[in-house]
Amino acid sequence: LPVKLEVVKTDAVSSALGADFLKNALIAGLVAIAGVVLLVTIRYRKLSFSLPIVVTMISELIIILGFAVFVGWEIDLAAIAGIIIAIGTGVNHQIIIADELLSGMTITHASLKASVKNAFTIILTSASTVVVALLPLIFAGAGLLKGFALTSIAGVAIGVLLTRPAFAALLQHLHGENS
């Protein structure tokens, strides 16, 4: 349905408030990373599972920020929310991969491949759901909603295409050697 959009209010933020916002966003990001590190460490109790999750999470954050700079996106509140969603989705996908690899009783090359294949079926379904749910925001949303959707979709795509396969290969390598 055609809908008319009317801008009711726009605000400008002073540079002093912008600096405070940036400082608070960085602190919140560090607290979130620390929380994920703590939970993953408690969950797996093995450095060979928890450390790759943390390294991949931080790598994915750097890749997403690098992509945003490369395409010239402005990192605003909506973009930060999209990045948080993408990183959260990424950690969830990494947990799926780790749990699939842990679920096999004996670790053989064939069982590792089957576990990763099962994990990627779940991950691709989950990522597709996120993308399909956010697509309407790109076309119907304005400003912040569009930025949130684009950043989230880009982050999920980067994760599925780059960091999930790298994480799975790393775990296969680590746990293929340890068997």
Side-chain angles (χ1 to χ4, degrees), residues 86-128:
I87 298 299
T89 301
V91 171
N92 184 41
H93 291 169
Q94 292 167 41
I95 289 170
I96 291 168
I97 294 169
D99 285 350
E100 282 291 325
L101 288 175
L102 281 173
S103 70
M105 298 305 272
T106 59
I107 297 181
T108 64
H109 183 70
S111 69
L112 284 174
K113 290 277 186 196
S115 294
V116 169
K117 183 178 179 183
N118 289 340
F120 270 89
T121 300
I122 296 166
I123 289 167
L124 290 174
T125 303
S126 171
S128 299

